[in-house]
Amino acid sequence: MTELDTLHTTRKAYDAIAPTYAELFHDPLHDRLLERALLSAFAELVRTIGDGRVADLGCGPGHLTAHLHGLGLRAFGVDASPVMVELAREANPGLRFEVGSMAALDIEDGALGGVLSRWSVIHTPPQDLPAILAEIARVLAPGGHLLIDFPATDGPHEETQAYDHTVVTAYRWSPDRFAELLAVHGLAESARLVIEPKPTDRRQFQEIQLLACKA
């Protein structure tokens, strides 16, 4: 399956479930104190290097874009799903949301102080991830920050593992291997948060949040 085929499949799947998704995850940070703290730190870092312009890639219905805006950032959202983008615009009429591909962003070089990518690369086949990371590096200003998260593989010797996601096939990554790919594109890891699954979680995967800075 080509990159365009994968994007089309993912877009179609999320278009179909967008209203349900927006309702189920209307408060994604409700019981996630560590993630809220990390987002606050991310916002503070971004504000130190420019005008606070941040892209929320894979923004879905815009809940985290609005959260970043509330933290004082000039946040806007990009998502491959037109239905998700429409829902985000309806819920947040004062914010900007665009339909787009993370591998071909309509953003000028070095324009952003920050990029947030929350679970938005999980459906990207491993061979296509470098193109997305290169695009993120392109749009970040020197000193700009990326906060990206994904589920971890079962051990350090498994670079990637596919799993049966509810919507469409998804992928887990070795955090060390992911950090290496970031470094290839000039994004140096500055912090790593490992969140252990709760005993009641359906999937017993570690969640990895990586903070990286562009040289």
Side-chain angles (χ1 to χ4, degrees):
M1 183 177 288
T2 68
E3 181 178 336
L4 285 177
D5 288 337
T6 301
L7 179 62
H8 175 76
T9 300
T10 303
R11 177 189 293 125
K12 186 175 180 180
Y14 276 97
D15 276 348
I17 66 158
T20 301
Y21 183 100
E23 178 61 28
L24 285 174
F25 301 104
H26 69 280
D27 189 6
L29 300 175
H30 169 66
D31 60 350
R32 299 178 67 87
L33 300 180
L34 286 174
E35 187 169 356
R36 288 210 302 267
L38 187 54
L39 284 168
S40 294
F42 169 71
E44 188 169 344
L45 286 168
V46 170
R47 286 196 299 268
T48 66
I49 66 158
D51 62 2
R53 192 176 176 210
V54 171
D56 178 10
L57 302 183
C59 66
H63 302 317
L64 287 186
T65 316
H67 184 79
L68 293 176
H69 175 73
L71 293 173
L73 299 178
R74 295 177 57 209
F76 65 96
V78 179
D79 201 277
S81 163
V83 180
M84 286 287 195
V85 168
E86 186 59 33
L87 290 173
R89 288 170 176 166
E90 291 174 1
N92 306 279
L95 299 181
R96 174 181 147 210
F97 296 93
E98 301 175 353
V99 177
S101 165
M102 290 185 293
L105 295 167
D106 187 19
I107 302 170
E108 58 271 30
D109 293 357
L112 304 180
V115 167
L116 174 67
S117 173
R118 186 179 190 267
W119 294 99
S120 58
V121 297
I122 65 170
H123 301 299
T124 301
Q127 68 272 16
D128 295 336
L129 182 65
I132 290 174
L133 299 183
E135 191 69 344
I136 289 172
R138 179 186 69 78
V139 300
L140 278 173
H145 300 275
L146 166 67
L147 180 56
I148 189 166
D149 65 348
F150 51 90
T153 53
D154 292 328
H157 302 298
E158 296 283 352
E159 288 192 359
T160 63
Q161 291 174 313
Y163 68 97
D164 186 18
H165 189 275
T166 304
V167 181
V168 66
T169 300
Y171 300 88
R172 298 190 278 157
W173 278 88
S174 156
D176 289 340
R177 177 54 181 153
F178 202 104
E180 289 173 358
L181 288 175
L182 290 175
V184 167
H185 295 93
L187 300 166
E189 179 184 355
S190 51
R192 181 184 303 190
L193 177 64
V194 180
I195 302 176
E196 296 291 342
K198 298 175 184 177
T200 55
D201 288 346
R202 183 164 66 93
R203 293 192 176 96
Q204 293 296 297
F205 304 157
Q206 287 181 330
E207 177 186 338
I208 308 299
Q209 301 221 11
L210 288 182
L211 184 64
C213 182
K214 181 178 175 180

